[in-house]
Amino acid sequence: MRRPFGLPFALRGLVGALAGLLAMAVPGPAALGADAGGGRRATAASAGAYWTPERMAAARPAAAERRRPGPTAGEPVPPSHPFDGLPQVGTFFWTDGTNTGRFCGGTVVRSPHRDLAVSAAHCLRSPDPKRRLSFVPQYHDGLKPHGVFPVESIHIDQRYYDLGTDGGARWDFTVVRLGPRADGSRVESAVGGFDLAVRTGYAHRDVRLIGYPGSSDAKYPKPLDCRSSTHRYTSTDPKAPGDFLEIACAGYVGGTSGGPFLVRGPAGPVLIGVIGGYHTGGDTPDISYSSYFNEDLLALYLHAVEGDAPTKP
């Protein structure tokens, strides 16, 4: 019988195998020296203290996003609704070169060292300084229900750096390695994680799309939730070539980039995409895109697991 999602089960098995093979190669929490552990805890405590509810609410979407209001042709667009979020889905916060707070979505995925999240490359590729770069799982209503996890490394395909957000739209994904929070807990231990799937195909009838909007009437906005279907979209813009997952969900304004495309799997939700690619996730609030998850994303995942030095702009 053909598996419904292509490679997610193979990837899950690979993760299990890597857990044993890499346990000695990459230092886990128990292997850290006192100085390293203390430094990480101090970094996490500092990030947690800096990102107050007011600063998180004042943060703006990643500057590369292009969402703007516009008409949508075709069938009715499924509505989105605000909710309190999922523990595995959250927001990256940082300050840019002008000390302006920025944010973008991300999702924790299962990994041998329990410390990885996936997001959109356009959110984190900017060469501007990213100070206090941290991940807040299930951020909502100004709350940090699971604490704050500092970012340790960002793994982006070199072609995305070289070609830019349009020319490299096919590689608009990133794997991010997170440090432990102030009490030493790893992010996956604290909130769980989803299976990461590659080459799942483009057509899915029931996809859950989650995103953090950058504009809201509420002082402390909530994430958006929507269910819809995806299909293959081939770009008509020669400056941004590629094939992408396309989904119709209403209200996904700037800020929702990096949010997950989730499908049901035997062991729970499976991550098959993130809002990003083809004009950085979509030109209008009602249609969103994801770069296709393939072996290039898997390579980034393996580099992050192994602790390799990431590529640079």
Side-chain angles (χ1 to χ4, degrees), residues 44-129:
S46 175
Y50 180 83
W51 288 113
T52 63
E54 292 74 21
R55 283 184 171 136
M56 290 189 291
R60 301 176 184 177
E65 296 194 21
R66 300 184 188 173
R67 300 278 181 160
R68 59 182 182 272
T72 300
E75 299 180 359
V77 176
S80 61
H81 63 273
F83 77 129
D84 286 346
L86 301 178
Q88 300 89 346
V89 181
T91 309
F92 289 97
F93 288 101
W94 68 95
T95 59
D96 64 15
T98 65
N99 207 36
T100 300
R102 299 285 182 180
F103 73 93
C104 190
T107 303
V108 180
V109 295
R110 294 191 174 105
S111 63
H113 300 295
R114 309 178 73 82
D115 59 357
L116 299 185
V118 174
S119 184
H122 75 264
C123 294
L124 301 174
R125 73 175 288 274
S126 171
D128 287 345

Side-chain angles (χ1 to χ4, degrees), residues 6-48:
L7 293 184
F9 300 98
L11 181 54
R12 188 189 309 159
L14 178 61
V15 169
L18 285 171
L21 293 174
L22 298 175
M24 297 180 64
V26 182
L32 292 172
D35 291 341
R40 285 184 167 190
R41 286 191 293 271
T43 298
S46 175

Side-chain angles (χ1 to χ4, degrees), residues 278-289:
Y278 187 60
H279 301 310
T280 59
D283 292 327
T284 68
D286 291 349
I287 301 293
S288 298
Y289 297 93

Side-chain angles (χ1 to χ4, degrees), residues 20-302:
L21 293 174
L22 298 175
M24 297 180 64
V26 182
L32 292 172
D35 291 341
R40 285 184 167 190
R41 286 191 293 271
T43 298
S46 175
Y50 180 83
W51 288 113
T52 63
E54 292 74 21
R55 283 184 171 136
M56 290 189 291
R60 301 176 184 177
E65 296 194 21
R66 300 184 188 173
R67 300 278 181 160
R68 59 182 182 272
T72 300
E75 299 180 359
V77 176
S80 61
H81 63 273
F83 77 129
D84 286 346
L86 301 178
Q88 300 89 346
V89 181
T91 309
F92 289 97
F93 288 101
W94 68 95
T95 59
D96 64 15
T98 65
N99 207 36
T100 300
R102 299 285 182 180
F103 73 93
C104 190
T107 303
V108 180
V109 295
R110 294 191 174 105
S111 63
H113 300 295
R114 309 178 73 82
D115 59 357
L116 299 185
V118 174
S119 184
H122 75 264
C123 294
L124 301 174
R125 73 175 288 274
S126 171
D128 287 345
K130 286 183 172 57
R131 303 183 180 95
R132 304 180 182 90
L133 180 54
S134 308
F135 182 68
V136 180
Q138 202 178 359
Y139 168 67
H140 69 93
D141 298 301
L143 302 176
K144 301 175 284 188
H146 308 286
V148 177
F149 296 82
V151 168
E152 293 194 339
S153 62
I154 301 168
H155 296 265
I156 294 175
D157 195 290
Q158 186 65 55
R159 288 165 289 190
Y160 195 74
Y161 282 132
D162 295 342
L163 297 173
T165 56
D166 283 346
R170 285 170 287 185
W171 298 283
D172 195 356
F173 39 62
T174 178
V175 180
V176 181
R177 191 175 180 186
L178 303 171
R181 68 186 180 193
D183 67 356
S185 297
R186 297 280 175 152
V187 67
E188 189 184 332
S189 299
V191 303
F194 296 144
D195 284 329
L196 174 62
V198 299
R199 289 212 173 273
T200 65
Y202 294 86
H204 300 273
R205 287 186 292 180
D206 184 15
V207 178
R208 188 176 188 184
L209 187 69
I210 298 173
Y212 281 83
S215 61
S216 172
D217 294 333
K219 180 179 180 181
Y220 301 120
K222 293 177 179 285
L224 298 176
D225 194 9
C226 173
R227 286 190 180 274
S228 188
S229 60
T230 60
H231 65 271
R232 185 174 192 160
Y233 178 82
T234 300
S235 170
T236 57
D237 183 352
K239 295 181 180 179
D243 295 319
F244 304 89
L245 274 72
E246 181 181 84
I247 188 169
C249 273
Y252 281 70
V253 296
T256 53
S257 285
F261 287 55
L262 300 171
V263 296
R264 292 187 178 96
V270 176
L271 181 68
I272 64 166
V274 295
I275 299 175
Y278 187 60
H279 301 310
T280 59
D283 292 327
T284 68
D286 291 349
I287 301 293
S288 298
Y289 297 93
S290 171
S291 301
Y292 189 56
F293 281 10
N294 57 19
E295 292 82 3
D296 296 329
L297 175 62
L298 177 58
L300 296 178
Y301 175 92
L302 295 176

